[in-house]
Amino acid sequence: MEKKINYSIPGCLYSNQFYFFICIGCLVFGCCSYETNAVPYDSFTISSFTYGRTVLRPYDWRYIRVDLPTWFSSMTLSLESDVNLDKKSIMIVDKSNLPMICAREGSPPLPDSYNTSLIGLELDPILNGSLAIEGLQFAEKCYPMQKKVMIRLTHEQISSGVWYFGLFNGIGSTRTQSKMINRGSGYSFTGNVSVEGCVSPSISGQFCNQTVDHLSCVDQNSTQGIITSCKNDFEHSCIDSNESKLYSLDLLGISEEIMISLKSNNSSSSSNTTLMCYARHGAIPSSSTHDYSGNVNNAPLVIRSPKVGRWYFTILPLNFSKEATKFCYSLEWKLLRCPIDKAGLNCTWERYTLQTILRKNPSVPFESYYLPVSDKISSNSANFLLEPLLSNSSQGQSQSQSQHIAWTYFLVDIPSGAAGGSIHIRLNSDTKINHELYASYGGLPFEDKWDYFYANSSSNSNGSMFFKLYDSSEKTISFYIVYVRGGTWSFGIKHLTSSSKSQSQSQTTMSISIERCPRRCSSHGTCQNVVEMSGLSLYSYCSCDRDHGGFDCSVEIVSHQGHIWQSISLIASNAAFVFPAYWALRQGAFAEWVLYTCSGISSGLYHACDVGTWCVLSYKVLQFMDFWLSFMAVVGTFVYVTDIDEGSKRTIHTVVAIVTALMAMNGPTSSSNIVLVIAIGATGLLVGLLIEFFTHYRRFPFSAELFLNMLHRWQTVKEWCRNLIKTILKRFQWFFVIAGFAALTMAAISWSLESTNSYWFWHSMWHVSIYVSSFFFLCSKVKAMNCANGEPENRNYELTRQDSLSGSQDLGENGRVR
C-alpha cells in the first residue's frame, strides 16, 4: 500500500493541465485507497458481530458462537452490562447466583454439570468493575461478570476452530428446573465480537508479522503402512541466535505418529547447540505454551497419534556458542499412516469407519446412530455385535503388557451442527465385560492419551465436566459425552484377543448414537432446541419439571412427599377466601361475594395445574384468571369500605378491571405488581371517600357569605376540622382497620420473600394473609351489622358549624346524613 501511494505522488510534477487533473485524481484515489484498505500489520477484519441489549433473568443463559479460521490472528470480545459486583461482594454472594461468563472450545460450556466446575472460577482479572483477559489459560474457565468485559485472545493463545462463550445468571441444578415463580436480580448486556486475520497464509501471529513455512509432503509405501515425508520449500534453513522459525503442517486424516528430525549443516561444534522444537495443534507454540517439545538436535521429536488439523512447529535455538552467529539445518518430517482399515504402529489392529444412520424424526434436529461398514456383521438396529470386529493381533504391545491385549478402533464423524447434542455409548454383554473404552477427539486414543475413558466402575472419567456415567454394572456400560465437539472422534476398545477363552465365549453388543439431550432428560423433562445468539447453530437443553433439575433432569430437588405437601399447601391455602366471601354475602354485597369466591376457586385451580395435579383449562388462562381476580379482590375491598352510590362503584370497578387485566396479561408475577395493586386500591378508596364527602358536603346548607367568614376566622375552621376528624373516626371500626393493615403487611412481606426454593410456603402465606386482610377491612366498615356481635348499628355523619356573623343564630348544630 505504501509503494502504491508513493508512486502516485510524483505524477503531480507534470506541467500540462491535463496531466495535472489526472495527477490530482490519482492522488485522491491513492489516498482513498489507503484509507479504506490499509490495515496495520497486514491484517483485516474477518467478521464482526454486534449484539443488542439482552436481558438475562435469574437462571437464564445465552451462548455466543465464534468461528476462528486457520488464518485468524486475534479475537476480541467486548461486553457492557449493568452488573455491579466487586471482589468483596463476589466472595460473599452464593456462587450459584453469581453472574458469570464461561468459554469452551468446540461446543457450549456447561459450568453446572458438576460442582467441581466451580473450582475454575477465576477472580484475579477483576479490577475496578472491569474484566480484562489476555492470559493463556482461558479454555473451560469461568469469570464473574462485570460492568465491562474485554477478552482479547490471539493465535498464540487459543487454537483456531469454533469457540463458544456462555453468559449465565446463576448456575446449579435449579437452572433447568421449571419454576412456579422466577424472582431475583437480573442483568442486561450488549456486546461485540470481532475476528482479525492475516491477508496471506504465509504469515501469522498476533500482528501478522511471523513468516510461516508450509510443509509439502510426498507419500511413500512401506511394509508398515504409508510413510509420508514432508519438508519445507528450501532444502536448508539458517537461523540466528535471536530469532525463531515457524512451520505448519496440515493433517487431513488419522495418522499413527509424526517424527521430526534434524540434520545439521554446521561444524561439529554446533552439536552443543540446543535446537528446541515446540509443537502445538491449532495454535502457534512458544516455550511457555505448547503440546510437545524436544531438542531435535540430539534426538527426533515423536508425536504419537497426532490430532487431525493444522499443526504448528516453532524452532528456537538455545546455547549458541560465542563464535557461531547462525545455525543452518535441514528438517525432515515423517508421518506414519496405516491403511484405512488398520491402526497401530505395526498397522495390525482393526479400525472401522462408522456410517451415519439418520433417525426419521423431522421435528427433532440432528439425531443419528452409527454402524460399521463391514462384511463381518449385519445389523438392522442401532446395536451391532462387537466380537466379530475385534482385533486378533496383540503385536505392538510393550513387554510390560499382556500378550493377549489388543485394540480395536471405531471412527465417528460428528457434524458441526451436532455440537449442541450429546454422544451416547452403550455396551451390553451376556457375561462380565472385561473391555476398557477410550475416547479421543481428532486422533486415536491410547492408555496414556485420551479425552475420556472407562476402565471399570471406580476408574473412569466420571469426574469430568462433560462425561456422565449412567450405568456401570458387570454386564452393562452406558455413558454420555455431553455437548460433543463436531469433528472426528475415535473410540478405542482395549480387550483380550480371541485366543483368550473368556473372550471367545462372550457376546457383546455396542451402540453409538447422537442424542439431543442426555437420557431423554431422565423422563423428568422435555428436550428444548434453541438457536444461539449468532444464529449459526442449535444447542439442546433439558427443561425439567417442578421436582427435578440438573442438565439431564436427574437431580431430585423436591421429593415426592415434599411435592405432595407443597401441592396441598398451595391449593388448600386458598380456602381462606371463605372469610371475606361469607361476610360479603351476609352484608348483601353480592358483587363482592362473587369476586372473592371466584378468586379463591380460580387460584386453587391455577395452582393445581401449576404443580402438575390437574389442569381444567390451559395454563395461560388459569394464570390470567388467578392474578386478575386477585388484583380485583384487593381493589374491590378498598372500594367496598366507602359509602358511595352503586353508580360510582360500578364506574370505579370498570376502570380497575381494565387496568388490572392489563397487569395480569403482562408480567403477572412481577414483584412490582403488589405495590401497584395496593396503590390502585388506595386510590380507589380515596376517590370513594372524596365522592362520599363532597356528596354530604353539598347537602349541608352552607352560604357563600358564611364560607368567606370561615376562611377568615381561625376558630371556625378549627372547629370544623375537629368535627370532620370525629366523623372520620366514627366512620370505621379502627380495631379491624389496624388488623387489616397488619394482615396486608404480612401479605406484602410474604410476596417479597418468595424465592425459587421457598415459593410454596410464602405464597401459601400470601393466600391466607390477603384474604384475612380483606375480611378485616370488610368488618371495619360501619354498616347495618357489627362484626363483633352481629347487632344492627346506626351511624350518622355529623358536621357542626357556627354562625360567625350573628353569633346567636344556629343554622344546624348537627347535620345528619344517612
Side-chain angles (χ1 to χ4, degrees):
M1 293 299 176
E2 294 178 357
K3 291 183 178 180
K4 179 179 179 181
I5 297 172
N6 291 334
Y7 288 152
S8 64
I9 293 175
C12 298
L13 300 178
Y14 286 97
S15 60
N16 189 289
Q17 187 176 5
F18 174 76
Y19 290 106
F20 176 80
F21 287 111
I22 293 179
C23 190
I24 293 297
C26 293
L27 178 61
V28 172
F29 175 80
C31 294
C32 294
S33 175
Y34 181 83
E35 290 294 331
T36 57
N37 297 329
V39 180
Y41 311 118
D42 291 329
S43 65
F44 69 102
T45 301
I46 299 175
S47 63
S48 180
F49 287 84
T50 299
Y51 302 94
R53 183 176 181 271
T54 304
V55 178
L56 291 184
R57 299 185 303 164
Y59 295 105
D60 274 356
W61 70 94
R62 294 291 187 276
Y63 288 124
I64 299 176
R65 169 175 167 155
V66 182
D67 290 285
L68 303 178
T70 55
W71 60 88
F72 96 98
S73 59
S74 64
M75 185 275 300
T76 303
L77 170 65
S78 59
L79 300 172
E80 291 188 3
S81 70
D82 54 6
V83 175
N84 188 15
L85 290 173
D86 54 14
K87 282 189 176 182
K88 292 183 179 180
S89 58
I90 291 173
M91 299 302 296
I92 298 174
V93 72
D94 186 5
K95 297 300 184 294
S96 61
N97 298 324
L98 183 66
M100 61 180 63
I101 178 173
C102 306
R104 189 191 181 198
E105 182 183 5
S107 59
L110 199 63
D112 50 3
S113 57
Y114 286 92
N115 291 331
T116 54
S117 64
L118 293 178
I119 300 176
L121 186 64
E122 299 288 340
L123 303 179
D124 293 338
I126 298 175
L127 181 63
N128 297 328
S130 298
L131 176 63
I133 300 175
E134 294 186 0
L136 299 176
Q137 302 300 325
F138 185 75
E140 297 188 9
K141 294 285 186 179
C142 291
Y143 298 84
M145 194 67 182
Q146 295 292 292
K147 281 185 175 297
K148 293 184 178 180
V149 176
M150 176 64 71
I151 300 174
R152 190 174 189 275
L153 302 170
T154 67
H155 206 169
E156 289 89 347
Q157 297 169 341
I158 60 174
S159 60
S160 58
V162 178
W163 282 78
Y164 285 85
F165 295 88
L167 288 87
F168 300 85
N169 189 17
I171 63 172
S173 300
T174 57
R175 182 171 67 92
T176 55
Q177 179 195 18
S178 296
K179 304 168 183 64
M180 300 179 187
I181 201 164
N182 193 14
R183 292 202 182 115
S185 59
Y187 72 90
S188 63
F189 69 92
T190 59
N192 176 268
V193 178
S194 62
V195 179
E196 301 291 327
C198 299
V199 296
S200 173
S202 62
I203 56 176
S204 185
Q206 177 180 358
F207 304 110
C208 295
N209 57 352
Q210 289 183 271
T211 302
V212 181
D213 292 333
H214 192 73
L215 303 178
S216 58
C217 304
V218 178
D219 292 343
Q220 300 175 355
N221 292 326
S222 171
T223 56
Q224 295 180 342
I226 301 175
I227 296 179
T228 303
S229 298
C230 305
K231 63 179 181 178
N232 58 326
D233 296 333
F234 303 97
E235 293 184 1
H236 304 288
S237 299
C238 294
I239 188 171
D240 295 331
S241 59
N242 58 351
E243 68 174 351
S244 61
K245 287 284 188 178
L246 182 62
Y247 301 90
S248 67
L249 176 64
D250 290 328
L251 292 184
L252 303 180
I254 296 294
S255 301
E256 306 306 316
E257 71 175 14
I258 299 178
M259 184 174 64
I260 303 102
S261 59
L262 177 142
K263 181 179 179 181
S264 175
N265 298 323
N266 297 59
S267 61
S268 58
S269 61
S270 63
S271 59
N272 296 327
T273 301
T274 300
L275 199 66
M276 293 297 299
C277 178
Y278 300 102
R280 191 178 180 189
H281 178 262
I284 299 176
S286 63
S287 58
S288 59
T289 306
H290 52 266
D291 297 332
Y292 301 91
S293 65
N295 182 9
V296 293
N297 196 21
N298 293 336
L301 175 63
V302 178
I303 302 175
R304 189 180 181 188
S305 184
K307 291 184 177 181
V308 175
R310 175 165 293 186
W311 282 82
Y312 290 92
F313 304 89
T314 298
I315 303 298
L316 183 65
L318 300 175
N319 301 329
F320 252 56
S321 60
K322 295 181 179 180
E323 63 275 8
T325 58
K326 286 187 177 182
F327 186 91
C328 296
Y329 61 92
S330 60
L331 285 176
E332 181 179 336
W333 279 261
K334 288 186 177 181
L335 278 72
L336 173 61
R337 294 188 291 114
C338 293
I340 194 171
D341 57 345
K342 295 296 181 178
L345 295 179
N346 296 324
C347 298
T348 56
W349 293 330
E350 300 294 333
R351 185 176 74 180
Y352 301 92
T353 300
L354 303 189
Q355 183 180 15
T356 304
I357 311 297
L358 297 177
R359 297 187 187 274
K360 297 180 180 180
N361 191 349
S363 62
V364 177
F366 182 86
E367 281 194 342
S368 64
Y369 60 91
Y370 295 87
L371 295 176
V373 181
S374 176
D375 297 333
K376 299 178 182 179
I377 61 168
S378 61
S379 177
N380 295 324
S381 65
N383 304 321
F384 57 89
L385 194 61
L386 193 59
E387 274 72 21
L389 304 175
L390 296 179
S391 303
N392 295 324
S393 174
S394 61
Q395 295 182 12
Q397 297 291 330
S398 62
Q399 296 180 356
S400 61
Q401 293 177 324
S402 171
Q403 295 301 314
H404 298 291
I405 297 296
W407 287 76
T408 302
Y409 293 99
F410 299 95
L411 269 60
V412 175
D413 180 67
I414 307 297
S416 59
S422 302
I423 191 165
H424 181 202
I425 296 93
R426 184 179 179 87
L427 274 73
N428 288 303
S429 180
D430 53 1
T431 61
K432 182 180 179 180
I433 298 177
N434 295 315
H435 305 328
E436 296 181 8
L437 194 96
Y438 295 81
S440 178
Y441 176 78
L444 300 178
F446 294 96
E447 281 183 307
D448 56 350
K449 184 179 180 180
W450 42 262
D451 292 325
Y452 307 99
F453 84 101
Y454 177 88
N456 50 58
S457 58
S458 59
S459 178
N460 52 66
S461 298
N462 202 31
S464 174
M465 187 184 304
F466 300 97
F467 183 94
K468 180 63 175 178
L469 180 65
Y470 286 101
D471 201 343
S472 179
S473 62
E474 291 186 350
K475 298 182 179 181
T476 303
I477 300 172
S478 178
F479 64 86
Y480 282 83
I481 300 176
V482 184
Y483 283 168
V484 62
R485 293 178 60 180
T488 301
W489 281 83
S490 301
F491 298 93
I493 295 181
K494 180 183 175 185
H495 57 87
L496 299 174
T497 60
S498 59
S499 60
S500 174
K501 181 177 179 181
S502 60
Q503 176 66 24
S504 61
Q505 294 178 349
S506 63
Q507 294 291 318
T508 305
T509 59
M510 182 177 184
S511 67
I512 302 176
S513 60
I514 292 291
E515 299 177 8
R516 300 312 303 177
C517 292
R519 213 180 184 187
R520 298 292 190 269
C521 298
S522 307
S523 300
H524 296 301
T526 58
C527 189
Q528 304 293 326
N529 303 294
V530 183
V531 179
E532 51 85 31
M533 291 190 65
S534 300
L536 300 174
S537 61
L538 281 170
Y539 71 93
S540 303
Y541 71 95
C542 287
S543 178
C544 308
D545 56 26
R546 296 284 192 263
D547 303 331
H548 295 83
F551 73 97
D552 57 353
C553 300
S554 62
V555 180
E556 185 182 62
I557 299 177
V558 181
S559 64
H560 179 67
Q561 184 177 4
H563 176 80
I564 294 176
W565 280 110
Q566 291 183 12
S567 302
I568 294 175
S569 176
L570 285 169
I571 298 172
S573 59
N574 289 283
F577 83 90
V578 299
F579 295 106
Y582 163 75
W583 188 251
L585 182 62
R586 187 175 182 183
Q587 296 295 326
F590 297 108
E592 285 75 10
W593 170 72
V594 171
L595 187 59
Y596 294 127
T597 303
C598 293
S599 174
I601 294 175
S602 64
S603 181
L605 293 176
Y606 163 68
H607 286 289
C609 180
D610 198 25
V611 298
T613 303
W614 178 53
C615 294
V616 63
L617 295 172
S618 66
Y619 179 83
K620 288 291 186 181
V621 173
L622 291 175
Q623 185 185 55
F624 169 77
M625 293 296 295
D626 174 37
F627 283 90
W628 180 51
L629 292 175
S630 298
F631 295 159
M632 282 293 298
V634 173
V635 179
T637 302
F638 283 100
V639 177
Y640 172 80
V641 298
T642 62
D643 192 14
I644 59 178
D645 60 276
E646 291 300 322
S648 300
K649 282 188 177 181
R650 286 194 297 269
T651 303
I652 296 176
H653 282 161
T654 303
V655 174
V656 169
I658 296 174
V659 175
T660 54
L662 293 175
M663 293 171 58
M665 283 295 295
N666 300 288
T669 60
S670 175
S671 299
S672 60
N673 279 343
I674 183 62
V675 179
L676 292 176
V677 169
I678 294 177
I680 293 173
T683 303
L685 175 62
L686 179 61
V687 171
L689 291 177
L690 289 176
I691 294 174
E692 178 185 350
F693 173 76
F694 283 112
T695 300
H696 300 313
Y697 178 80
R698 232 179 5 254
R699 293 177 184 175
F700 196 83
F702 276 103
S703 63
E705 184 180 4
L706 181 60
F707 180 72
L708 293 174
N709 289 333
M710 287 178 60
L711 295 178
H712 292 83
R713 294 185 58 184
W714 169 251
Q715 186 64 29
T716 303
V717 174
K718 185 177 179 181
E719 186 67 22
W720 182 81
C721 292
R722 185 182 297 112
N723 290 333
L724 179 62
I725 294 173
K726 289 181 179 179
T727 302
I728 294 176
L729 292 176
K730 294 178 181 180
R731 179 67 181 78
F732 301 101
Q733 298 190 66
W734 288 95
F735 170 77
F736 292 106
V737 172
I738 295 174
F741 275 110
L744 187 62
T745 303
M746 183 62 193
I749 294 174
S750 300
W751 183 281
S752 63
L753 291 177
E754 288 178 3
S755 63
T756 302
N757 298 325
S758 61
Y759 169 79
W760 67 275
F761 175 77
W762 290 112
H763 198 70
S764 300
M765 292 296 296
W766 153 266
H767 288 158
V768 176
S769 301
I770 200 67
Y771 284 123
V772 170
S773 66
S774 298
F775 171 71
F776 285 143
F777 283 128
L778 294 180
C779 291
S780 68
K781 181 178 180 179
V782 177
K783 193 74 175 177
M785 301 294 292
N786 185 288
C787 287
N789 50 32
E791 296 180 355
E793 188 175 281
N794 293 323
R795 298 281 182 179
N796 297 323
Y797 291 101
E798 296 182 358
L799 293 175
T800 303
R801 72 178 184 88
Q802 297 179 359
D803 188 352
S804 59
L805 299 176
S806 61
S808 59
Q809 183 180 1
D810 189 357
L811 294 179
E813 181 178 356
N814 293 322
R816 300 186 180 273
V817 179
R818 296 185 183 273

